[in-house]
Amino acid sequence: MVPLGPFEPAPHLAVAVSGGADSLALALLARDWAGAAGGMVTGLVVDHGLRPASADEARLTLRRLAGIGIAARLLVLEGLARGPGLAARARTARYAALEGACRQAGILHLLLGHHAADQAETVAMRLLARSGPAGLAGMAALAETEAVRLLRPLLTVPPARLRATLRAAGLDWVEDPSNADPAAARARLRLLRADRGGTGPATRALVAAARLRGAARAGAECTAAGELAARARLHPEGFAVLTPGPIGATALGALLRMLGGQAHAPSPRQLAVLAANPRPATLAGVSLLPAARPGPPGALLLVREPAALAAPVAAQPGARWDGRFALAADATPPASAMLGALGRDAARFADRRHWPAAVLRALPALWANANLFAVPQIGYPDATTCRRVALAFRPAAPACGAPFAAAGQL
């Protein structure tokens, strides 16, 4: 835990507990670590509702946590239906529920029970998918989201040690049959590895490779942050200005990822060509245009590509649009209002000469009964209305956050 700090005095940790051996062992270890620092642990148990036994298993897990002195909360997911992309949909819903619970409780640190075998499988899957160097670093031991710090302190620990820890404590756990379902790619890799304890040479080699890649990724993240600080001016209206000249591919990729509202950067090959010679182009939903204003001669304006903008969404409090903008949780938009791109209505604001037309078209706007109601980023129609529907630029993945903590540093 120490390399994943700093932590506040008397830290309050949340642990995502599925009921399986790995997360239950993590909860036990976290309880002792936090207790020694004068802090506490809260368990978060998610019931996906996808198996008939899931509700009973969740309640059993709550009882087991209570038995070792850990207060826990049950999070029930609704609306998950079997079909294409179920694993990804369930993962997204699970993380949203976990982060929401942490935000509600004022908890900053969310611990996840991924261990050495999980890391080995992740690296193997990314090798098969031909991921770049950053992807082959596997899961990060530390990553920050908008709401929490995601911590994975067990990435170098074999699952056999975690099960031994539970047995020594006299604790049992739940076995999820879906973990051995060969219909899932990860389960098939797990069967092929034939190393359930996570102590075999192949597992150790993949984890060691992830450690080396993780250290390289951490260095690249720090370098990219420095480059962007020196070369890019980010604007809260969702665009950026880049000074002339070559830039590192990692830095450019992070910038495009953020401005495009994407979770991942474009492919390394595409980035390498454009980073070596930044010029007018379109990549990953972002247009690079000559920056007439604002910017020095030869600068580029990076703005959302019009054709890639998301469709309008219902303007409900907390709604997100285009992976980049979020309506305030206490917003009070008109009933049935919609949130989308200003688009062609940007022509109404052509007199605002300090705003490039491409930026105006990509701004978020609200409509009520098909009439333009507000464009908060430019203060239309007035400050009072804009306060009612405050919008913040909150991209899916910021250009720079906390540097990745390499698993090898644990």
Side-chain angles (χ1 to χ4, degrees):
M1 290 290 286
V2 173
L4 302 181
F7 295 90
E8 67 274 22
H12 188 176
L13 311 177
V15 181
V17 186
S18 66
D22 313 320
S23 60
L24 192 59
L26 175 61
L28 180 64
L29 295 167
R31 180 203 67 180
D32 293 346
W33 185 87
M40 62 179 292
V41 166
T42 294
L44 298 176
V45 181
V46 178
D47 176 12
H48 295 79
L50 295 173
R51 293 185 295 109
S54 67
D56 289 339
E57 291 171 354
R59 287 191 290 269
L60 175 60
T61 301
L62 292 173
R63 292 196 296 272
R64 285 173 173 163
L65 289 171
I68 57 174
I70 296 177
R73 178 181 171 189
L74 177 62
L75 308 175
V76 179
L77 303 186
E78 297 179 352
L80 282 175
R82 295 193 176 277
L86 175 60
R89 288 186 284 112
R91 181 170 57 252
T92 298
R94 178 171 66 252
Y95 276 91
L98 290 168
E99 291 187 18
C102 288
R103 188 196 299 271
Q104 188 178 43
I107 300 174
L108 184 60
H109 316 286
L110 173 60
L111 276 62
L112 305 172
H114 299 111
H115 49 61
D118 294 325
Q119 183 74 304
E121 290 161 7
T122 297
V123 174
M125 291 177 71
R126 293 182 181 178
L127 278 167
L128 292 173
R130 300 183 179 181
S131 292
L136 296 181
M139 292 178 283
L142 162 63
E144 290 188 353
T145 73
E146 183 181 296
V148 296
R149 304 172 74 241
L150 294 175
L151 307 180
R152 297 181 177 94
L154 303 178
L155 287 178
T156 59
V157 180
R161 287 189 60 189
L162 300 176
R163 285 164 171 75
T165 297
L166 291 180
R167 292 189 186 100
L171 289 173
D172 201 357
W173 58 87
V174 172
E175 290 286 0
D176 185 348
S178 64
N179 289 333
D181 182 0
R186 185 177 288 272
R188 291 196 298 272
L189 276 173
R190 188 172 298 133
L191 292 172
L192 288 171
R193 282 194 313 107
D195 182 19
R196 190 167 182 268
T199 57
T203 299
R204 293 199 305 272
L206 287 168
V207 171
R211 291 168 61 183
L212 293 174
R213 294 283 190 184
R217 180 170 65 181
E221 287 279 315
C222 289
T223 299
E227 283 189 277
L228 291 177
R231 298 283 309 281
R233 176 174 292 180
L234 308 180
H235 293 259
E237 295 79 18
F239 70 98
V241 175
L242 184 66
T243 58
I247 186 171
T250 299
L252 180 60
L255 195 57
L256 293 175
R257 179 191 66 207
M258 179 192 70
L259 295 174
Q262 305 298 315
H264 303 287
S267 74
R269 180 175 298 181
Q270 291 174 306
L271 280 173
V273 173
L274 190 57
N277 180 26
R279 61 196 185 281
T282 297
L283 181 60
V286 178
S287 295
L288 288 77
L289 308 169
R293 62 183 190 276
L300 289 172
L301 172 69
L302 281 71
V303 64
R304 193 77 164 102
E305 178 192 4
L309 287 163
V313 299
Q316 300 173 347
R320 292 183 65 86
W321 172 72
D322 199 42
R324 301 180 303 133
F325 289 94
L327 198 59
D330 59 353
T332 57
S336 303
M338 299 297 292
L339 169 63
L342 182 57
R344 294 179 181 177
D345 283 285
R348 297 171 53 176
F349 305 97
D351 59 327
R352 307 193 182 206
R353 300 186 182 277
H354 63 289
W355 286 93
V359 170
L360 282 172
R361 288 193 294 269
L363 287 178
L366 289 95
W367 282 264
N369 299 319
N371 296 313
L372 185 62
F373 176 75
V375 189
Q377 268 56 36
I378 58 175
Y380 173 84
D382 53 58
T384 300
T385 301
C386 290
R387 279 195 295 271
R388 284 185 57 196
V389 289
L391 273 166
F393 181 55
R394 284 162 47 187
C400 293
F404 285 103
Q409 296 173 339
L410 296 179

